[in-house]
Each structure stands twice: as C-alpha cells, then as structure tokens.
Amino acid sequence: MTKKIIYNAGSMFNEAQWDQRKREGAALRELFPDYEIKNPVDFDTNQGTAPTNKEIFELDYAGLKAAEYVILEIDGWDSGTHMEFGLVVEMAKNNPDKRLYPIISDFRYKQGIIKGEIVGFGLNEMITGAFYDEDLNSGDVPRLTLCDSHQSAREAIKAFETGDLKDYRQRFDIKHLYHDSESVYHGFEK
C-alpha cells in the first residue's frame, strides 16, 4: 500500500527558518506516523554539500507532484516557496485529490484593511488571488484552505482525513475573515 504524502514548503535560509522547518517536520511525523513526510530541509540535497539549482527544482517538483497535501509558508519572502505555490495551484486545478494549505501567520493579516480582501503587507495579489480560485474554493471543505499557523494546517489535514468536517471553514479557513466586517479603511484622507 502506498503511503499518503504531505509536502512541507517554506524558507530555510537562516538558523531560525531551518529550525522551524525541522520542528514542523517532527510535528507532522508525530501526527501522521503512517504518512510519508516530504520536508525539503531533510532532503539529502540539503545535507552537507550544496545542491545544484536543477537538483533543487527536480526534487521539489517531484515532491509537490506526488503529495496529496501541500503546506506552504506563503507569507515569507522566499520566491522558491512562491514558485512552489504557483506550481501546486496548477497541479491542484487539474487533480481533485490534491489539497493545499498555504499559511499566513503574520499577525497583521488579522488586523484587516479592506472588506473582503487579503491585506497587502507584501504578498502579491497574484498569489492571494489564487486563494479565491473557484476550482479550489468551492464547497464546505475547500481544496485550498488558508491557515493561520502550521498547527492549524496539520489539524485541518487531520480533520479531513478523519471526516471531522463540521464547521470546517469556520475552524480552519481564514480567507473570508473580513467578509462580514464593516470596519474598512482604504487609502488616505484627502
């Protein structure tokens, strides 16, 4: 029997990021002991000698393609993770079994500025616009669930796997945080 695969994408260019990816991998392995966890920080290419650009792309692409679940630290400044997000959005639009869990953990997101919109604190609208793609955002359990932490992403995957889907969007998906808010600010006083 083939194991289900969870792919964990995020920055890993300094000690804090490296340690964070290691902690996330450990948490995934603990919660999902029967799954294969593809965590690039643990790939052989990232142990010892520096991998080539081609090796990085091929290994990451293969991991994204094989995974049923993809968690992405989307609010970081890592263009590689943003590239992975673009690739996996396209993969998911063509594969109804692929589920995405981008994470925006930046507290400013929850402060809100424009009713119904993702706050523009550094994420390009091309990225945040994908959060609302109809193919990935339909139904009570969207295939793209925007989470506010890695823990929330893990819990959302667990809920999906166990069928614990009551109030799924309210519990895990933060992309509609401002749709009911009337407190709106946009632009400058003239």
Side-chain angles (χ1 to χ4, degrees):
M1 181 177 169
T2 305
K3 290 183 175 187
K4 288 188 178 181
I5 297 171
I6 301 173
Y7 185 93
N8 187 49
S11 302
M12 48 187 206
F13 302 111
N14 60 46
E15 186 177 10
Q17 293 167 345
W18 189 270
D19 290 347
Q20 180 63 24
R21 299 293 89 80
K22 289 286 194 180
R23 283 191 298 275
E24 291 165 358
L28 284 166
R29 287 181 186 92
E30 182 178 333
L31 189 59
F32 301 100
D34 297 327
Y35 291 54
E36 183 178 348
I37 307 303
K38 291 195 176 282
N39 196 20
V41 75
D42 297 325
F43 289 175
D44 289 341
T45 54
N46 289 316
Q47 310 304 314
T49 60
T52 67
N53 298 351
K54 185 174 183 280
E55 289 172 321
I56 292 169
F57 175 78
E58 288 176 348
L59 196 54
D60 290 358
Y61 186 84
L64 290 169
K65 191 171 179 183
E68 284 86 359
Y69 302 102
V70 180
I71 301 172
L72 304 109
E73 176 201 37
I74 204 70
D75 59 352
W77 291 92
D78 179 19
S79 58
T81 302
H82 293 167
M83 169 79 166
E84 289 173 312
F85 179 68
L87 289 167
V88 79
V89 163
E90 183 61 23
M91 290 176 191
K93 285 176 69 68
N94 293 292
N95 178 353
D97 296 325
K98 191 172 289 294
R99 307 188 78 77
L100 312 179
Y101 300 86
I103 298 167
I104 294 182
S105 58
D106 189 317
F107 70 89
R108 295 173 291 177
Y109 173 76
K110 291 184 176 181
Q111 291 175 340
I113 296 176
I114 305 171
K115 182 177 178 181
E117 292 288 331
I118 302 293
V119 179
F121 56 80
L123 281 177
N124 185 283
E125 288 79 1
M126 184 67 175
I127 292 172
T128 58
F131 299 161
Y132 300 100
D133 180 82
E134 290 179 15
D135 293 334
L136 304 178
N137 197 39
S138 62
D140 294 331
V141 182
R143 290 190 296 125
L144 189 153
T145 302
L146 182 63
C147 299
D148 65 359
S149 68
H150 200 276
Q151 179 178 342
S152 179
R154 294 189 306 265
E155 291 171 358
I157 293 170
K158 189 67 163 182
F160 182 77
E161 280 291 302
T162 62
D164 179 18
L165 304 177
K166 186 176 191 278
D167 300 322
Y168 179 91
R169 278 193 190 263
Q170 293 76 19
R171 289 167 40 209
F172 303 113
D173 195 5
I174 63 172
K175 69 174 131 330
H176 297 293
L177 193 61
Y178 304 112
H179 278 222
D180 298 326
S181 173
E182 291 302 324
S183 108
V184 176
Y185 172 76
H186 179 66
F188 298 96
E189 297 291 329
K190 292 195 177 197

